[in-house]
PDB file of all heavy atoms in Angstrom:
ATOM      1  N   ARG A  73     -18.159 -14.634  -6.987  1.00 87.00           N
ATOM      2  CA  ARG A  73     -18.329 -15.999  -7.518  1.00 87.00           C
ATOM      3  C   ARG A  73     -19.412 -16.034  -8.590  1.00 87.00           C
ATOM      4  O   ARG A  73     -19.248 -16.712  -9.617  1.00 87.00           O
ATOM      5  CB  ARG A  73     -18.683 -16.962  -6.384  1.00 87.00           C
ATOM      6  CG  ARG A  73     -18.823 -18.419  -6.836  1.00 87.00           C
ATOM      7  CD  ARG A  73     -17.514 -18.923  -7.388  1.00 87.00           C
ATOM      8  NE  ARG A  73     -17.643 -20.260  -7.955  1.00 87.00           N
ATOM      9  CZ  ARG A  73     -18.019 -20.521  -9.196  1.00 87.00           C
ATOM     10  NH1 ARG A  73     -18.327 -19.522 -10.021  1.00 87.00           N
ATOM     11  NH2 ARG A  73     -18.078 -21.757  -9.625  1.00 87.00           N
ATOM     12  N   PHE A 108     -16.067  -5.790   2.746  1.00 93.00           N
ATOM     13  CA  PHE A 108     -14.933  -6.718   2.823  1.00 93.00           C
ATOM     14  C   PHE A 108     -15.380  -8.169   2.701  1.00 93.00           C
ATOM     15  O   PHE A 108     -14.582  -9.036   2.322  1.00 93.00           O
ATOM     16  CB  PHE A 108     -14.183  -6.500   4.143  1.00 93.00           C
ATOM     17  CG  PHE A 108     -12.981  -7.378   4.297  1.00 93.00           C
ATOM     18  CD1 PHE A 108     -11.875  -7.221   3.472  1.00 93.00           C
ATOM     19  CD2 PHE A 108     -12.954  -8.376   5.262  1.00 93.00           C
ATOM     20  CE1 PHE A 108     -10.758  -8.045   3.602  1.00 93.00           C
ATOM     21  CE2 PHE A 108     -11.841  -9.193   5.412  1.00 93.00           C
ATOM     22  CZ  PHE A 108     -10.746  -9.029   4.580  1.00 93.00           C
ATOM     23  N   THR A 109     -16.638  -8.462   2.996  1.00 93.00           N
ATOM     24  CA  THR A 109     -17.121  -9.841   2.885  1.00 93.00           C
ATOM     25  C   THR A 109     -17.097 -10.336   1.446  1.00 93.00           C
ATOM     26  O   THR A 109     -17.168 -11.545   1.205  1.00 93.00           O
ATOM     27  CB  THR A 109     -18.543  -9.952   3.448  1.00 93.00           C
ATOM     28  OG1 THR A 109     -19.409  -9.045   2.743  1.00 93.00           O
ATOM     29  CG2 THR A 109     -18.574  -9.596   4.929  1.00 93.00           C
ATOM     30  N   LEU A 110     -17.003  -9.424   0.480  1.00 93.00           N
ATOM     31  CA  LEU A 110     -16.920  -9.839  -0.920  1.00 93.00           C
ATOM     32  C   LEU A 110     -15.678 -10.679  -1.190  1.00 93.00           C
ATOM     33  O   LEU A 110     -15.663 -11.513  -2.094  1.00 93.00           O
ATOM     34  CB  LEU A 110     -16.908  -8.614  -1.835  1.00 93.00           C
ATOM     35  CG  LEU A 110     -18.192  -7.788  -1.918  1.00 93.00           C
ATOM     36  CD1 LEU A 110     -17.934  -6.499  -2.685  1.00 93.00           C
ATOM     37  CD2 LEU A 110     -19.306  -8.596  -2.588  1.00 93.00           C
ATOM     38  N   PHE A 111     -14.617 -10.470  -0.391  1.00 93.00           N
ATOM     39  CA  PHE A 111     -13.355 -11.152  -0.625  1.00 93.00           C
ATOM     40  C   PHE A 111     -13.278 -12.511   0.056  1.00 93.00           C
ATOM     41  O   PHE A 111     -12.221 -13.148   0.033  1.00 93.00           O
ATOM     42  CB  PHE A 111     -12.199 -10.273  -0.139  1.00 93.00           C
ATOM     43  CG  PHE A 111     -12.049  -8.993  -0.905  1.00 93.00           C
ATOM     44  CD1 PHE A 111     -12.631  -7.821  -0.440  1.00 93.00           C
ATOM     45  CD2 PHE A 111     -11.360  -8.965  -2.093  1.00 93.00           C
ATOM     46  CE1 PHE A 111     -12.505  -6.646  -1.143  1.00 93.00           C
ATOM     47  CE2 PHE A 111     -11.227  -7.790  -2.808  1.00 93.00           C
ATOM     48  CZ  PHE A 111     -11.798  -6.628  -2.340  1.00 93.00           C
ATOM     49  N   ASP A 112     -14.371 -12.957   0.647  1.00 91.00           N
ATOM     50  CA  ASP A 112     -14.370 -14.230   1.362  1.00 91.00           C
ATOM     51  C   ASP A 112     -13.949 -15.387   0.466  1.00 91.00           C
ATOM     52  O   ASP A 112     -13.274 -16.323   0.914  1.00 91.00           O
ATOM     53  CB  ASP A 112     -15.766 -14.493   1.940  1.00 91.00           C
ATOM     54  CG  ASP A 112     -15.815 -15.780   2.738  1.00 91.00           C
ATOM     55  OD1 ASP A 112     -15.291 -15.791   3.865  1.00 91.00           O
ATOM     56  OD2 ASP A 112     -16.369 -16.776   2.229  1.00 91.00           O
ATOM     57  N   ILE A 113     -14.289 -15.332  -0.801  1.00 90.00           N
ATOM     58  CA  ILE A 113     -13.966 -16.419  -1.728  1.00 90.00           C
ATOM     59  C   ILE A 113     -12.462 -16.620  -1.863  1.00 90.00           C
ATOM     60  O   ILE A 113     -11.972 -17.739  -2.009  1.00 90.00           O
ATOM     61  CB  ILE A 113     -14.597 -16.150  -3.116  1.00 90.00           C
ATOM     62  CG1 ILE A 113     -14.347 -17.347  -4.050  1.00 90.00           C
ATOM     63  CG2 ILE A 113     -14.083 -14.853  -3.712  1.00 90.00           C
ATOM     64  CD1 ILE A 113     -15.050 -17.217  -5.380  1.00 90.00           C
ATOM     65  N   PHE A 114     -11.684 -15.544  -1.784  1.00 90.00           N
ATOM     66  CA  PHE A 114     -10.236 -15.659  -1.954  1.00 90.00           C
ATOM     67  C   PHE A 114      -9.576 -16.382  -0.781  1.00 90.00           C
ATOM     68  O   PHE A 114      -8.501 -16.961  -0.935  1.00 90.00           O
ATOM     69  CB  PHE A 114      -9.606 -14.272  -2.106  1.00 90.00           C
ATOM     70  CG  PHE A 114      -9.965 -13.580  -3.381  1.00 90.00           C
ATOM     71  CD1 PHE A 114     -10.959 -12.621  -3.414  1.00 90.00           C
ATOM     72  CD2 PHE A 114      -9.326 -13.907  -4.564  1.00 90.00           C
ATOM     73  CE1 PHE A 114     -11.302 -11.980  -4.588  1.00 90.00           C
ATOM     74  CE2 PHE A 114      -9.661 -13.273  -5.749  1.00 90.00           C
ATOM     75  CZ  PHE A 114     -10.651 -12.308  -5.763  1.00 90.00           C
ATOM     76  N   TYR A 115     -10.202 -16.352   0.373  1.00 92.00           N
ATOM     77  CA  TYR A 115      -9.628 -16.992   1.554  1.00 92.00           C
ATOM     78  C   TYR A 115     -10.139 -18.411   1.753  1.00 92.00           C
ATOM     79  O   TYR A 115      -9.596 -19.136   2.594  1.00 92.00           O
ATOM     80  CB  TYR A 115      -9.944 -16.151   2.798  1.00 92.00           C
ATOM     81  CG  TYR A 115      -9.510 -14.710   2.660  1.00 92.00           C
ATOM     82  CD1 TYR A 115     -10.445 -13.675   2.673  1.00 92.00           C
ATOM     83  CD2 TYR A 115      -8.177 -14.378   2.489  1.00 92.00           C
ATOM     84  CE1 TYR A 115     -10.052 -12.354   2.539  1.00 92.00           C
ATOM     85  CE2 TYR A 115      -7.775 -13.053   2.344  1.00 92.00           C
ATOM     86  CZ  TYR A 115      -8.720 -12.055   2.367  1.00 92.00           C
ATOM     87  OH  TYR A 115      -8.323 -10.737   2.220  1.00 92.00           O
ATOM     88  N   ARG A 116     -11.148 -18.810   0.989  1.00 89.00           N
ATOM     89  CA  ARG A 116     -11.725 -20.149   1.139  1.00 89.00           C
ATOM     90  C   ARG A 116     -11.328 -21.096   0.010  1.00 89.00           C
ATOM     91  O   ARG A 116     -11.224 -22.302   0.230  1.00 89.00           O
ATOM     92  CB  ARG A 116     -13.256 -20.067   1.212  1.00 89.00           C
ATOM     93  CG  ARG A 116     -13.770 -19.391   2.463  1.00 89.00           C
ATOM     94  CD  ARG A 116     -15.268 -19.446   2.541  1.00 89.00           C
ATOM     95  NE  ARG A 116     -15.775 -18.735   3.710  1.00 89.00           N
ATOM     96  CZ  ARG A 116     -15.885 -19.253   4.919  1.00 89.00           C
ATOM     97  NH1 ARG A 116     -15.543 -20.513   5.108  1.00 89.00           N
ATOM     98  NH2 ARG A 116     -16.340 -18.548   5.930  1.00 89.00           N
ATOM     99  N   VAL A 117     -11.112 -20.569  -1.179  1.00 85.00           N
ATOM    100  CA  VAL A 117     -10.817 -21.428  -2.326  1.00 85.00           C
ATOM    101  C   VAL A 117      -9.307 -21.511  -2.513  1.00 85.00           C
ATOM    102  O   VAL A 117      -8.657 -20.498  -2.805  1.00 85.00           O
ATOM    103  CB  VAL A 117     -11.486 -20.868  -3.606  1.00 85.00           C
ATOM    104  CG1 VAL A 117     -11.177 -21.767  -4.796  1.00 85.00           C
ATOM    105  CG2 VAL A 117     -12.991 -20.748  -3.396  1.00 85.00           C
ATOM    106  N   PRO A 118      -8.713 -22.691  -2.352  1.00 82.00           N
ATOM    107  CA  PRO A 118      -7.247 -22.818  -2.443  1.00 82.00           C
ATOM    108  C   PRO A 118      -6.684 -22.449  -3.809  1.00 82.00           C
ATOM    109  O   PRO A 118      -5.527 -22.037  -3.912  1.00 82.00           O
ATOM    110  CB  PRO A 118      -7.007 -24.301  -2.133  1.00 82.00           C
ATOM    111  CG  PRO A 118      -8.234 -24.756  -1.405  1.00 82.00           C
ATOM    112  CD  PRO A 118      -9.357 -23.952  -1.980  1.00 82.00           C
ATOM    113  N   ARG A 119      -7.475 -22.604  -4.866  1.00 82.00           N
ATOM    114  CA  ARG A 119      -6.968 -22.324  -6.216  1.00 82.00           C
ATOM    115  C   ARG A 119      -6.737 -20.826  -6.436  1.00 82.00           C
ATOM    116  O   ARG A 119      -5.970 -20.449  -7.325  1.00 82.00           O
ATOM    117  CB  ARG A 119      -7.957 -22.842  -7.272  1.00 82.00           C
ATOM    118  CG  ARG A 119      -8.139 -24.335  -7.285  1.00 82.00           C
ATOM    119  CD  ARG A 119      -8.907 -24.768  -8.533  1.00 82.00           C
ATOM    120  NE  ARG A 119     -10.172 -24.086  -8.646  1.00 82.00           N
ATOM    121  CZ  ARG A 119     -11.307 -24.494  -8.080  1.00 82.00           C
ATOM    122  NH1 ARG A 119     -11.304 -25.600  -7.345  1.00 82.00           N
ATOM    123  NH2 ARG A 119     -12.435 -23.835  -8.244  1.00 82.00           N
ATOM    124  N   LEU A 120      -7.386 -19.992  -5.675  1.00 82.00           N
ATOM    125  CA  LEU A 120      -7.232 -18.550  -5.836  1.00 82.00           C
ATOM    126  C   LEU A 120      -6.040 -18.049  -5.020  1.00 82.00           C
ATOM    127  O   LEU A 120      -5.662 -18.648  -4.021  1.00 82.00           O
ATOM    128  CB  LEU A 120      -8.509 -17.829  -5.400  1.00 82.00           C
ATOM    129  CG  LEU A 120      -9.767 -18.186  -6.192  1.00 82.00           C
ATOM    130  CD1 LEU A 120     -10.964 -17.405  -5.672  1.00 82.00           C
ATOM    131  CD2 LEU A 120      -9.571 -17.922  -7.673  1.00 82.00           C
ATOM    132  N   THR A 121      -5.467 -16.953  -5.451  1.00 82.00           N
ATOM    133  CA  THR A 121      -4.281 -16.414  -4.797  1.00 82.00           C
ATOM    134  C   THR A 121      -4.637 -15.320  -3.797  1.00 82.00           C
ATOM    135  O   THR A 121      -5.624 -14.609  -3.975  1.00 82.00           O
ATOM    136  CB  THR A 121      -3.307 -15.836  -5.848  1.00 82.00           C
ATOM    137  OG1 THR A 121      -2.190 -15.247  -5.185  1.00 82.00           O
ATOM    138  CG2 THR A 121      -3.982 -14.773  -6.702  1.00 82.00           C
ATOM    139  N   GLU A 122      -3.824 -15.220  -2.741  1.00 85.00           N
ATOM    140  CA  GLU A 122      -3.996 -14.174  -1.743  1.00 85.00           C
ATOM    141  C   GLU A 122      -2.896 -13.123  -1.842  1.00 85.00           C
ATOM    142  O   GLU A 122      -2.779 -12.247  -0.992  1.00 85.00           O
ATOM    143  CB  GLU A 122      -3.983 -14.775  -0.328  1.00 85.00           C
ATOM    144  CG  GLU A 122      -5.159 -15.693  -0.047  1.00 85.00           C
ATOM    145  CD  GLU A 122      -5.133 -16.227   1.377  1.00 85.00           C
ATOM    146  OE1 GLU A 122      -4.405 -15.643   2.206  1.00 85.00           O
ATOM    147  OE2 GLU A 122      -5.823 -17.219   1.657  1.00 85.00           O
ATOM    148  N   LEU A 169      -3.946  -9.162  -0.495  1.00 94.00           N
ATOM    149  CA  LEU A 169      -5.171  -9.660   0.140  1.00 94.00           C
ATOM    150  C   LEU A 169      -4.902 -10.303   1.493  1.00 94.00           C
ATOM    151  O   LEU A 169      -5.690 -10.152   2.437  1.00 94.00           O
ATOM    152  CB  LEU A 169      -5.869 -10.658  -0.784  1.00 94.00           C
ATOM    153  CG  LEU A 169      -6.575 -10.083  -2.012  1.00 94.00           C
ATOM    154  CD1 LEU A 169      -7.255 -11.199  -2.799  1.00 94.00           C
ATOM    155  CD2 LEU A 169      -7.604  -9.031  -1.607  1.00 94.00           C
ATOM    156  N   ARG A 173      -6.412  -8.806   5.041  1.00 94.00           N
ATOM    157  CA  ARG A 173      -7.208  -9.573   6.007  1.00 94.00           C
ATOM    158  C   ARG A 173      -6.597  -9.477   7.403  1.00 94.00           C
ATOM    159  O   ARG A 173      -7.317  -9.343   8.403  1.00 94.00           O
ATOM    160  CB  ARG A 173      -7.294 -11.039   5.574  1.00 94.00           C
ATOM    161  CG  ARG A 173      -8.215 -11.881   6.459  1.00 94.00           C
ATOM    162  CD  ARG A 173      -8.336 -13.308   5.944  1.00 94.00           C
ATOM    163  NE  ARG A 173      -9.349 -14.030   6.677  1.00 94.00           N
ATOM    164  CZ  ARG A 173      -9.139 -14.651   7.852  1.00 94.00           C
ATOM    165  NH1 ARG A 173      -7.940 -14.615   8.394  1.00 94.00           N
ATOM    166  NH2 ARG A 173     -10.121 -15.286   8.442  1.00 94.00           N
ATOM    167  N   LYS A 177      -8.587  -7.873  10.592  1.00 93.00           N
ATOM    168  CA  LYS A 177      -8.899  -8.680  11.776  1.00 93.00           C
ATOM    169  C   LYS A 177      -8.077  -8.266  12.995  1.00 93.00           C
ATOM    170  O   LYS A 177      -8.497  -8.536  14.127  1.00 93.00           O
ATOM    171  CB  LYS A 177      -8.643 -10.160  11.470  1.00 93.00           C
ATOM    172  CG  LYS A 177      -9.457 -10.715  10.311  1.00 93.00           C
ATOM    173  CD  LYS A 177     -10.948 -10.670  10.595  1.00 93.00           C
ATOM    174  CE  LYS A 177     -11.744 -11.261   9.450  1.00 93.00           C
ATOM    175  NZ  LYS A 177     -13.208 -11.220   9.695  1.00 93.00           N
TER     176      LYS A 177
END
Side-chain angles (χ1 to χ4, degrees):
R73 182 62 186 86
F108 182 67
T109 58
L110 292 171
F111 295 95
D112 182 75
I113 184 174
F114 292 99
Y115 306 116
R116 293 185 183 275
V117 180
R119 296 191 304 273
L120 299 180
T121 177
E122 294 182 17
L169 287 182
R173 185 177 188 276
K177 301 297 182 181

